[in-house]
Amino acid sequence: MENTPPAITVSTVHRAKNQAQIALFEQGFSALSILFFGNGVGTILNEHELIMKLLRYAIFGIAVLLMGARWRTTLRTISKGGLLWLVVGLMVASMAWSVSPIYTSESIRGEVLPMTAFAAYFASRFNIRQQMRIIAATLALGAFLSLFYALAIPSVGRHIGDKFDGAWKGIYAQKNVFSSVMALTMLVFFILSLANKNRQERFLARCGLVFSILLILLSTSVSGLIVFIVLLLIVLASRLFRWRGRRSVLLLDVGGLIVLCLGTVLSATWQGIVIGLGKDPTLSARTYIWSGSIEKIMDQPLLGYGRAAFWVPGSQDAWEVGALAARDFVPSHAHNGYIDAALDLGLIGFGLFVLGLVISFGMALRRAYRASEPEDLWPFAFLTLMMIYNITESVLMLRTSLYWVMYMSIFLSLRRWPRRSRAEKAH
């Protein structure tokens, strides 16, 4: 009577073992997907077209299957998408009016659907603290691989013989991409370093923070340096907050506004800053690209040119924008995430995105006000970083973008996990 029947014990152990294996698989799948969407896999695979395509569809298929296994939770999460699904729906519908329907169709199948499926799965499967740990582990892996390639295979890990000669790019295609990922790495490790209960986790997070700062410096990216300065202000400001009382609320509100205003001021006075740093005073012709792109938005203001269609190779519109900067120069994007979003989806799609972003930022700010753990700061900090970074780089919804995946995940997670549950506290 006192002993548990052996069959029950074996069954329980077997079930627990299976659950642990499934959980490990899901964490590994999530890490691989994040590395892929961060454009860190292509360099390792030498941009092998067939393998990259198979990976895209594999991520989509596995995410759908895993969501199907927990369909009730998935439906609850998806039902909270609202404005996000309107933006994604416009991307898909833009095939109907795209200036390059074939290119848009390929982008929908190979980029929009995999990113959307994974983001929905990630937000429904893991709470915000678990998400941060997976993101941190993945970005740390990307950083170490970048270090390896830069030192052991410099022909891959560094720019050689071009205008960025000597700058590190690691496992990423270009130094600015590398810098944007390292800025995200620095942010997530900073937030994890605020954990004061687990000394080992705090120490590892601080090591990751220092490592990512060094890599940003080695990328020589001006954008990375400026974002680094802005994030330092977030670091300094966040140490003043104890997340309780009206004073903390006021300080956080003012601090958030200062950070955003600083980002705006930096973008407006960029030329002077860059001249002081000894770089091209037109920031690789960004100012010309911005003005030309905005004129093109006004040509098709409501619905835009279709998902990923404006900068398609051979585009006359892209050529005309590039001609403003230099002869025979054709840019691949607008170097501004908001402008690219408006080019893709018009002012209607851009307006829906901004509305969703503002509401989500307000939710993230309220969560930060009531924060009792460091991960409660993550949505607010990420959205702040994303808004600032997209002033001078296009890392929002252009092609395959880790920032867009993280934005969709946070959009859903803020609504899926509005308050820290007992399960979150246990982890």
Side-chain angles (χ1 to χ4, degrees):
M1 294 290 293
E2 295 180 358
N3 296 326
T4 304
I8 296 177
T9 303
V10 171
S11 175
T12 302
V13 171
H14 184 67
R15 184 164 56 250
K17 184 178 180 180
N18 286 341
Q19 290 175 346
Q21 290 175 341
I22 293 172
L24 184 62
F25 169 79
E26 291 188 272
Q27 292 170 8
F29 165 69
S30 298
L32 175 63
S33 300
I34 291 169
L35 194 64
F36 179 84
F37 292 129
N39 297 297
V41 175
T43 301
I44 298 173
L45 297 177
N46 198 28
E47 297 295 342
H48 193 286
E49 184 177 353
L50 178 59
I51 297 178
M52 294 293 289
K53 184 176 292 187
L54 288 174
L55 276 174
R56 292 177 189 277
Y57 293 127
I59 289 172
F60 173 72
I62 293 172
V64 170
L65 289 175
L66 291 174
M67 285 192 290
R70 301 183 181 88
W71 63 271
R72 290 187 179 86
T73 301
T74 299
L75 289 179
R76 284 199 298 270
T77 303
I78 291 176
S79 68
K80 300 177 185 298
L83 288 168
L84 177 63
W85 301 140
L86 288 177
V87 174
V88 174
L90 267 180
M91 291 183 186
V92 177
S94 69
M95 288 187 292
W97 62 82
S98 172
V99 296
S100 180
I102 295 177
Y103 207 73
T104 296
S105 177
E106 291 176 353
S107 176
I108 298 299
R109 293 195 306 269
E111 296 164 356
V112 174
L113 293 181
M115 288 192 294
T116 304
F118 174 74
Y121 157 73
F122 197 54
S124 64
R125 173 63 180 86
F126 301 105
N127 61 47
I128 293 178
R129 182 170 179 80
Q130 292 168 333
Q131 290 177 27
M132 283 188 62
R133 286 178 169 176
I134 294 171
I135 293 168
T138 306
L139 295 179
L141 174 61
F144 279 111
L145 287 173
S146 293
L147 176 67
F148 170 78
Y149 274 89
L151 295 178
I153 316 176
S155 61
V156 175
R158 302 186 196 182
H159 285 281
I160 297 178
D162 57 16
K163 63 180 179 179
F164 303 128
D165 188 40
W168 284 29
K169 60 187 180 72
I171 60 173
Y172 304 95
Q174 202 253 9
K175 73 182 186 74
N176 288 334
V177 178
F178 177 49
S179 175
S180 71
V181 175
M182 287 304 103
L184 184 58
T185 306
M186 181 171 62
L187 180 62
V188 71
F189 276 123
F190 160 67
I191 295 174
L192 287 175
S193 72
L194 296 178
N196 52 19
K197 295 180 180 179
N198 189 321
R199 292 184 178 180
Q200 183 178 7
E201 183 177 289
R202 185 171 67 247
F203 173 76
L204 291 174
R206 288 176 178 175
C207 290
L209 175 60
V210 173
F211 186 39
S212 58
I213 292 173
L214 291 174
L215 290 179
I216 278 185
L217 295 175
L218 289 168
S219 76
T220 71
S221 170
V222 175
S223 299
L225 287 174
I226 292 177
V227 170
F228 171 60
I229 293 171
V230 174
L231 289 177
L232 272 182
L233 293 178
I234 296 177
V235 171
L236 295 174
S238 66
R239 290 187 178 278
L240 299 175
F241 306 141
R242 293 298 178 267
W243 314 112
R244 295 184 178 86
R246 294 181 180 179
R247 287 186 178 181
S248 295
V249 170
L250 179 61
L251 286 172
L252 179 58
D253 199 10
V254 173
L257 288 174
I258 289 174
V259 170
L260 293 176
C261 289
L262 178 61
T264 303
V265 170
L266 286 173
S267 68
T269 60
W270 190 284
Q271 289 186 340
I273 294 172
V274 175
I275 290 173
L277 292 173
K279 301 291 184 179
D280 176 8
T282 60
L283 263 178
S284 300
R286 277 177 174 84
T287 52
Y288 296 108
I289 295 172
W290 293 344
S291 61
S293 298
I294 291 172
E295 288 181 9
K296 291 297 181 180
I297 290 172
M298 294 300 100
D299 289 342
Q300 292 189 207
L302 294 182
L303 297 174
Y305 294 81
R307 161 72 183 180
F310 185 85
W311 304 107
V312 64
S315 168
Q316 178 66 23
D317 292 312
W319 182 87
E320 290 175 0
V321 171
L324 296 174
R327 184 177 180 181
D328 297 326
F329 171 60
V330 182
S332 57
H333 53 79
H335 290 279
N336 181 293
Y338 309 110
I339 291 176
D340 274 319
L343 284 169
D344 276 8
L345 305 177
L347 297 181
I348 292 177
F350 179 70
L352 290 172
F353 161 72
V354 170
L355 181 59
L357 175 60
V358 170
I359 294 173
S360 296
F361 187 78
M363 295 174 67
L365 204 56
R366 287 195 297 272
R367 186 181 181 109
Y369 289 165
R370 299 192 294 264
S372 58
E373 297 292 340
E375 65 268 18
D376 292 323
L377 180 61
W378 169 243
F380 164 72
F382 171 80
L383 292 177
T384 302
L385 171 66
M386 186 189 77
M387 286 188 284
I388 294 173
Y389 218 105
N390 276 283
I391 292 175
T392 55
E393 297 294 340
S394 191
V395 294
L396 187 55
M397 60 179 71
L398 182 72
R399 306 309 304 261
T400 300
S401 170
L402 179 59
Y403 276 74
W404 180 246
V405 172
M406 291 296 98
Y407 170 71
M408 289 192 291
S409 296
I410 284 177
F411 185 102
L412 295 170
S413 295
L414 284 169
R415 294 154 177 82
R416 170 74 175 87
W417 312 95
R419 289 181 296 275
R420 297 187 68 252
S421 64
R422 292 180 180 178
E424 285 182 289
K425 292 178 181 179
H427 292 281

